[in-house]
Amino acid sequence: MNSQFEYKKIEKKWQDHWENSETVKCDLKSDKPKFYNLCMYPYPSGDLHMGHIRNYTIGDVITRYKQMNGFNVLSPMGWDSFGLPAENAAIKTGIHPREFTEERIANMKSQIIRLGSLYDWDREVAAHSVDYYKWTQHLFIKLFENDLAYKEDAPVNWCNSCRTVLANEQVIEGSCERCDTAVEPKNLNQWFLKISEYSEELLQGLEEIGDWPENVKTMQRNWIGKSEGSQFELNIIGTDLTFDVFTTRPDTLFGMTFAVISPEHELIDLIMEQSEKKDEIQNYLDSIENKSEFERMSITKEKTGVDTTLKVTNPITNEEVPLWIADYVLVNYGTGAIMAVPAHDERDYEFAKKYDIEIRQVIIDNEKTINVDNEAFTGNGVLMNSGEFNDLSSHEEASKKINEFLVKNKIGDEKTTYRLRDWLISRQRYWGCPIPLINCEDCGLLPEKYENLPVLLPEIKDYINTDGSPLSKSKEFVETDCPKCSKKALRETDTMDTFVDSSWYYMRFLDPKNEKEPFNSNFINEWLPVDQYIGGVEHAILHLLYSRFFVKALRDLGLMTIDEPFHNLFSQGMINFGGAKMSKSKGNIVDPEEYFATHGADALRLYILFMAPPSDGVEWNDGGIEGTKRFLNKLWDNLLKIINQEDTEKELSEDDKSLERKINQTIKSVTQHFERFEFNTAVSDLMKFNNDLSEYLKHDSILPKELKDVLIKNILILLYPMSPHMASEIYESYFDSDISTEKWANFDDSKLENPMYELVVQINGKKKHAIMVETGIEEDDAITLCESNFDINFKEAKKIIFIKDKIINIVQ
RNA sequence: GCCCGGGUGGCGGAAUUGGUAGACGCGACGGACUUAAAAUCCGUUAUUCGAAAGGAUGUGGGGGUUCGAGUCCCCCCUCGGGCACCA
């Protein structure tokens, strides 16, 4: 063993070793208990940033810790390698996205290896590889055949500068996230996956799922957005036109003084025909069309609308009330039309005030003091102005009764709606998985035959979307034969959202080389759900929800029997720099590579674990990395000193016993912290122990051989998951074997307790004195001891409280 | 606006879930070694009064419960995140 921790040499040595060792090659059929440990696969941006380092360090701690605990750990890694950045680079530089992407994957892979994390690289997958996207297409066709994928006209976000559609999540406050151009709505024939069919199950599943952060579950619940209420029909007086409205507040039905229908509602043209003010309505509709989606959706915008001059009947009062068209009613939520109750809904109130529509109060607070002259009242109370329903309590009781009325009179029914919409997966982009469908004039829309997959991404020169998707530029690609009648037919030219690729990659890891099917179902049923999933909180909704949907859909197709993809989820917090998320475009990336060079991977790993609780977001600050490097150097020195001591057999001295207790206490504490993902305090436990060791060595004590071995072994095992290079090196040089084959450390219960401890003496809960006493001291003896040492009158105490034998509190 | 999290020394953060607040680390200050610097080592480091012993104050602010509150309850301020005309 060298006199110094030469991290560069040592890290290289062990990384080479791990690459060729069986340490992480997972045999799925082993009879050890399984543990699927998964870090979210990265988009290959080219360089690791600190967020990746944090993610993969946490993941690696779990891999190594679980291995030592006897689990057969599967820890794979791959690439989310389709997507817009490669395509934009191609537009700029002319370099093919494939070439560009693969170069970046190679670079990132070498950095991941440089971090020293264990991955079973034999299972590596990349979303853009033909072997992978062939099966993405296969699964897509399965969904299509089972009515879970469909094509429909829909508005999309179009960026006219990038000449492409954008996903909702790429639209930041109404503008393109890349070029800041205002996004325009555009109607296109689009592909959707029927995630909404699973709304209820996706919501329910959150109750039964494993250990997920509460905030992620809440975000998913909100996204799914379940509301319960009533739905009923309104008839336009003097016509045979009817439409449904949905409300969560049937208790306010008597207060409905108008109805509103969305400008995009399917009845709009018919309504316009019936209206006396056709021109006004047309003008209004035109004005809406010129507004961007963002403008329309903005809550701060003043509400606008137009009176149709038509009337509808309030079904419970039979009164005639006006029908308006207004864009504050959204066509794609509920029924696209509402009953408006201005007295008890803020939006309706604002609209009614502006257009001078009657505001009728039908609920009053229990103290009967509120009126609606100045604002809407949305709170609880009792019904008024509501006929036979007066004095019922709102919302629940009255809602229930009025709903019963609607049902009894066949006007309406109970109804549950969800905000979750179907998942729009079409992208008019090049660098994605082609949608494997064919349009035949005679036979309609048909999937490519399974045996003809993959539908290869064509080679084209110009990646810009000018008129139609980039794939439409390849005649060879577009023109094909109908799989049914063999006549000339045309391929779909859209590609899939990359979230489709990432919805099933964790399945492919289980069977990455299968050439006959996307995966063997037995592996899926045995190995899924993933036991521990680790990734950034930014994927709390989209990726995690889509993957959950995928599993449920594929289960219903008979491909698997599991219900959820990820059992336990750990969301690490983001690492920001300069107050912002690190990103290339902001130029605030901190490059981990320089720390590999100046401090080493072990010190960087340790620091990133130590700097904050892993679930907290942190501002990057490298001030402390010096500290973890110092710690490793000191530990190396201390262990070297111990190793160089002559082997001796002797009785344990008090110092030895104290050190023995400390290692046992440290094992217990580190193990507890690991189980709870509290790596920051696990690191501090090791530092504390190392300080104790330094103190011990100052006394020129010689450790008896047996304790020496126990101590070296255990401290290295505790260190190994977090700083595996150094732990492996010292372990090998002293014990001449590979630490990765060791079992996790056990502590000895009988060697945890200190023989003496400090008894704290409180008066009225306030610390006044402290005195060293023997462990197990009787309470009476403790009192006697305190009486003789301190000026306390125990006889006059109202109460004497012993707290966990550690504190004696005298209440006076 | 609504829904989640937070607020503890100069800084990152500990605190067994109601029981010694400030572990561990960074930084700073003083000292040793050195011709010097770096590295390393030894001390000090919440604030405040005090020469010291020792005392007082102290976990965003205000109130409360309790022998005892960073931790529980009520009100307020503030920062971060998510959703946002969802009927």
Side-chain angles (χ1 to χ4, degrees), chain A residues 395 450 460 604:
Chain A
H395 311 173
Y450 286 110
I460 60 172
L604 178 59

Side-chain angles (χ1 to χ4, degrees), chain A residues 638-650 652 656 659-660 663 689 693 696-697 701-716 730-731 734-735:
Chain A
N638 285 340
L639 290 179
L640 188 68
K641 279 180 198 157
I642 292 174
I643 287 169
N644 287 340
Q645 286 181 352
E646 249 174 76
D647 290 350
T648 57
E649 310 282 334
K650 63 164 181 119
L652 297 189
D656 298 337
L659 197 60
E660 186 182 39
I663 186 70
F689 180 75
L693 202 53
Y696 174 89
L697 288 168
S701 314
I702 306 260
L703 272 170
K705 167 79 170 139
E706 202 180 325
L707 179 56
K708 169 177 169 179
D709 285 1
V710 167
L711 195 140
I712 294 171
K713 180 175 148 185
N714 283 319
I715 186 73
L716 292 176
I730 303 179
Y731 193 89
Y734 186 68
F735 293 107

Side-chain angles (χ1 to χ4, degrees), chain A residues 4 26 33 44 54 167 197 220 223 270 434 508 519 560 569 672 700 734 745 749 784 797 809:
Chain A
Q4 277 183 351
C26 179
R54 194 179 208 192
E197 202 161 295
Q220 292 214 353
W223 190 263
L270 297 171
R508 186 67 182 173
F519 43 74
M560 52 192 64
L569 172 72
Q672 276 176 359
D700 271 336
Y734 186 68
D749 264 320
T784 314
N809 183 21

Side-chain angles (χ1 to χ4, degrees), chain A residues 762-765 794 796-801 809-812:
Chain A
Q762 295 181 338
I763 293 174
N764 293 332
F794 281 82
E796 277 173 24
K798 278 192 202 135
K799 226 195 311 184
I800 298 170
I801 308 167
N809 183 21
I810 298 121
V811 185
Q812 287 182 334

